[in-house]
Amino acid sequence: MNDTFQRQLYHYTALIFLALIALAPIWVMIATSFKNDVLVQDGTPLWFFFHPTLENYEYILTRGKFDRYLTNSVIVAVSSTIITLLLGGFCAYALARLDFKGRALMANSTLLVRMVPPAVLAVPAFAFVTLTGVDSDLAVLTFFYTALNLPFAIWLLFGFYKQIPVELEEAAIVDGASPLQVFFKVLFPLMTSGYAVAAIFTFRIAWNEFILALLLTGRTTRTLPVGAAGFITDTGIEWGRIMAMGTLIVIPPLLFTFFAARQIIAGMTAGAVKG
Amino acid sequence: MTVLTQSRKPRFAAETMTPYTFITPAILVMLGGLLYPVFMAFYLSFYDWEIGRDLAKAPFLGVDNFVRMVQDPQVWEVLWVTLRFGFWTITIEMTLGVALALLLEKPIRGASIFRTIFILPLMVSPVVVGLIWRYLFDARIGWINYYLGAFFGIEPQVWLGDADLAFFAIVFTDIWQWTPFIFIIVIAGLQALPSEVVEASTIDGANWYQQIFLVKLPMIKSILIIALLMRLIDVFRGLEVMLIMTGGGPGRSTELLSLHIYNRAFDTQQLGYASAISVLLILIVFAISTAILTMANPMKSKSDV
């Protein structure tokens, strides 16, 4: 009894310590975003007890182009997520269920293209923009994000499709369902958690991505990370304002994490553990 | 039931058609968005193309860019930085992540809350991670200097202005963001282990040390390999955190290969030469990826089930 209590105490102390390390930097950002310039420049850490001010947020929301950045980010992240899930879902289904020539090659190359470093895309993306002149077009960015996310989405959804018993589909086919009916009416309801995980990961990449967004967007099509980086100037950084911007950027992925942590962990480990 | 015989022939046609109709849209997007740029990088690596110059008039160089790359001390320097960065971050992240997972694998009350907290660093945008840690490491107002001074009496350091300290800073930042990744993958693997095996080893008199190193870790070997190789590839992928924190400096002390390509292309504006280095990066990542596919191919093993 005493021993288990001690062990539990040990466990919880370790857990709380780790949780603090994970959270502290994020909290520092949030706290700093509510400080006025004098407090920020003071350099004395104040974790909680200071008079919070909204002036940084006010500046960002009214004087910056935050609403425009936000709109662009939402458009690109949401549309690339939807397209990725649709195309990736079809492809994963075919790889998991249908037998066709080139299936193994397709599966392997999907894993390989997943590894393409974004830095490699930077120069060709820039070349594309300068050659075609389709600068500052959100559709181009959406297309690249869809391409970047598809291999992972296919890989993830493949695992989820594999888990569904084949008998379900066979029964539906015997009853006269077409492949598309099987896909949408029989399988989709069973795949919602798989699609949720894929959606969170796809959204997260598209929402956070910086390099391609920087190269492929213009004055009117900048996304939030590009907007935030724009606050870094040669004359110095306005920490309060940039931290407010950072806090606003981090909110959607953090909310997702809180609501779907279980699924996220399942998805993150699906490939590794079941392999 | 008459419908069944009637629809036999059309369904045969549909069955041979559908696999390709299912996969073609995804293939087209990946071809256009990933493979075409990769081939474009190969193509550009043979030209001397600078920003502002018409690509059609860019001089063809043959393999000159590659010859230059091999002889370029800067490339070897950033490759060395990248390898050192990879060595330190991956060694520490794997050790810490596995140790924490072993420490915390027991199902306890509130486990899901702690797991949620532990994946938060993974969700933060790299740009924001760079910003937060640039602030924390700031020489004048950074909290790290403040606490080191307050608790240990250490003089304020110019963290991001000194080659060794800046390297330490980016390693530290990477560990903060990515140790949770190892932790979560390993803890999921440990919990998927059949409890009979662990129990049997206890009955056989295995001590704590033997149980970990002779029973548990060997059983999750394939998970450990996948986690290791994924992190290895990430070392060659990311550049945002360093771009925001240090820009690669001072000198080239925090300039990883990816960031070097970016700086070459858009800072010194040599797009052709940057493409040649991209080809080097592709080859490195391709080699690691092939290792993953050979050692542990998740799609293959799953389709065998």
Side-chain angles (χ1 to χ4, degrees):
Chain A
M1 183 65 204
N2 207 358
D3 189 45
T4 43
F5 175 76
Q6 207 167 24
R7 200 173 289 169
Q8 285 216 340
L9 191 74
Y10 178 60
H11 269 150
Y12 279 106
T13 315
L15 278 173
I16 290 168
F17 179 70
L18 293 170
L20 286 178
I21 294 177
L23 285 178
I26 301 172
W27 178 251
V28 167
M29 169 177 72
I30 297 170
T32 308
S33 73
F34 288 106
K35 289 179 181 174
N36 63 31
D37 228 27
V38 180
L39 268 181
V40 173
Q41 295 297 330
D42 185 18
T44 312
L46 274 175
W47 293 82
F48 306 101
F49 303 107
F50 57 90
H51 191 69
T53 169
L54 285 172
E55 63 188 44
N56 295 317
Y57 288 93
E58 201 186 325
Y59 180 91
I60 278 186
L61 294 174
T62 56
R63 307 272 290 280
K65 299 186 189 71
F66 185 84
D67 50 339
R68 194 184 282 170
Y69 301 150
L70 179 71
T71 317
N72 292 336
S73 273
V74 169
I75 290 174
V76 173
V78 170
S79 50
S80 73
T81 303
I82 292 172
I83 301 170
T84 304
L85 293 191
L86 203 64
L87 304 189
F90 277 132
C91 188
Y93 171 73
L95 287 176
R97 279 293 197 265
L98 308 173
D99 208 19
F100 58 93
K101 218 176 167 182
R103 188 188 152 281
L105 175 75
M106 174 73 199
N108 283 340
S109 29
T110 304
L111 273 180
L112 277 184
V113 290
R114 193 188 155 191
M115 315 300 182
V116 174
V120 169
L121 304 182
V123 176
F126 178 80
F128 174 80
V129 165
T130 47
L131 294 177
T132 58
V134 268
D135 190 6
S136 58
D137 192 340
L138 289 176
V140 178
L141 198 57
T142 306
F143 176 78
F144 273 104
Y145 286 171
T146 307
L148 263 180
N149 277 312
L150 263 176
F152 181 70
I154 292 170
W155 188 50
L156 192 79
L157 293 172
F158 174 87
F160 280 90
Y161 273 118
K162 268 283 165 197
Q163 287 182 335
I164 300 175
V166 190
E167 291 76 25
L168 273 174
E169 281 157 83
E170 286 170 353
I173 291 171
V174 168
D175 287 347
S178 72
L180 278 182
Q181 281 174 323
V182 172
F183 186 81
F184 282 111
K185 296 207 170 134
V186 181
L187 291 172
F188 187 74
L190 300 166
M191 285 289 294
T192 41
S193 66
Y195 276 102
V197 185
I200 290 163
F201 279 107
T202 308
F203 180 87
R204 170 180 153 261
I205 300 278
W207 184 259
N208 288 340
E209 205 282 333
F210 174 68
I211 293 295
L212 289 173
L214 180 70
L215 293 172
L216 293 171
T217 60
R219 194 179 287 272
T220 56
T221 50
R222 256 169 227 161
T223 56
L224 283 172
V226 181
F231 272 89
I232 303 176
T233 60
D234 293 337
T235 51
I237 300 176
E238 295 171 79
W239 284 113
R241 287 169 186 172
I242 206 167
M243 291 302 192
M245 188 102 174
T247 305
L248 294 174
I249 295 176
V250 157
I251 287 173
L254 290 199
L255 283 182
F256 269 140
T257 313
F258 273 113
F259 287 121
R262 205 176 286 266
Q263 266 91 349
I264 292 174
I265 292 165
M268 217 148 40
T269 50
V273 175
K274 284 170 214 142
Chain B
M1 280 299 114
T2 46
V3 185
L4 227 162
T5 43
Q6 218 174 24
S7 65
R8 174 165 288 160
K9 203 170 180 197
R11 193 190 298 147
F12 176 74
E15 271 168 9
T16 47
M17 280 286 296
T18 37
Y20 300 103
T21 40
F22 271 114
I23 61 171
T24 308
I27 290 180
L28 287 180
V29 174
M30 287 191 284
L31 280 178
L34 292 174
L35 281 187
Y36 175 72
V38 167
F39 283 112
M40 190 71 181
F42 271 96
Y43 173 81
L44 290 170
S45 66
F46 294 108
Y47 288 87
D48 176 19
W49 186 35
E50 285 171 21
I51 290 183
R53 189 192 277 178
D54 191 356
L55 177 60
K57 287 175 194 151
F60 179 77
L61 290 182
V63 293
D64 282 9
N65 277 331
F66 291 96
V67 175
R68 181 178 161 199
M69 179 175 80
V70 176
Q71 294 169 342
D72 188 347
Q74 288 189 16
V75 171
W76 295 105
E77 201 181 333
V78 296
L79 202 54
W80 178 233
V81 171
T82 311
L83 292 177
R84 268 169 54 225
F85 177 80
F87 174 79
W88 288 113
T89 54
I90 295 175
T91 309
I92 297 171
E93 284 160 19
M94 287 296 286
T95 317
L96 269 182
V98 170
L100 299 177
L102 286 168
L103 192 68
L104 304 171
E105 66 165 317
K106 294 229 168 59
I108 55 160
R109 198 185 291 263
S112 65
I113 297 170
F114 284 111
R115 285 190 186 191
T116 307
I117 292 173
F118 293 150
I119 51 177
L120 290 183
L122 292 170
M123 293 295 167
V124 180
S125 161
V127 167
V128 177
V129 171
L131 285 172
I132 295 176
W133 287 94
R134 182 167 169 176
Y135 175 71
L136 290 171
F137 277 115
D138 189 275
R140 200 173 52 82
I141 58 172
W143 293 23
I144 289 171
N145 268 344
Y146 178 87
Y147 282 114
L148 285 178
F151 290 124
F152 306 104
I154 296 172
E155 290 289 305
Q157 304 289 321
V158 190
W159 293 98
L160 302 179
D162 174 279
D164 292 332
L165 293 180
F167 184 77
F168 169 82
I170 62 163
V171 167
F172 195 88
T173 304
D174 198 79
I175 291 170
W176 176 76
Q177 194 174 25
W178 289 104
T179 302
F181 174 79
I182 308 285
F183 171 75
I184 279 158
I185 285 199
V186 173
I187 207 166
L190 286 172
Q191 283 175 348
L193 285 182
S195 56
E196 300 84 35
V197 182
V198 180
E199 277 161 24
S201 72
T202 319
I203 294 168
D204 289 347
N207 61 30
W208 178 82
Y209 171 86
Q210 288 168 326
Q211 215 171 60
I212 288 173
F213 287 96
L214 301 177
V215 181
K216 287 182 180 171
L217 290 185
M219 284 182 75
I220 57 163
K221 202 176 87 188
S222 67
I223 294 169
L224 293 174
I225 290 173
I226 292 177
L228 176 79
L229 293 174
M230 280 166 99
R231 289 299 301 130
L232 205 54
I233 284 174
D234 283 341
V235 166
F236 292 95
R237 286 173 62 94
L239 61 92
E240 291 96 334
V241 174
M242 295 83 199
L243 183 67
I244 298 288
M245 273 179 85
T246 62
R252 252 172 294 280
S253 57
T254 59
E255 191 162 322
L256 303 188
L257 193 54
S258 276
L259 182 55
H260 187 66
I261 293 172
Y262 176 83
N263 284 342
R264 275 286 180 192
F266 303 105
D267 216 32
T268 58
Q269 320 212 329
Q270 300 157 311
L271 297 170
Y273 187 50
S275 298
I277 309 174
S278 298
V279 172
L280 175 71
L281 182 61
I282 293 170
L283 292 178
I284 294 173
V285 172
F286 185 78
I288 305 172
S289 314
T290 315
I292 293 188
L293 290 184
T294 342
M295 280 200 246
N297 184 346
M299 279 202 172
K300 200 170 157 197
S301 59
K302 259 185 249 173
S303 57
D304 289 342
V305 172

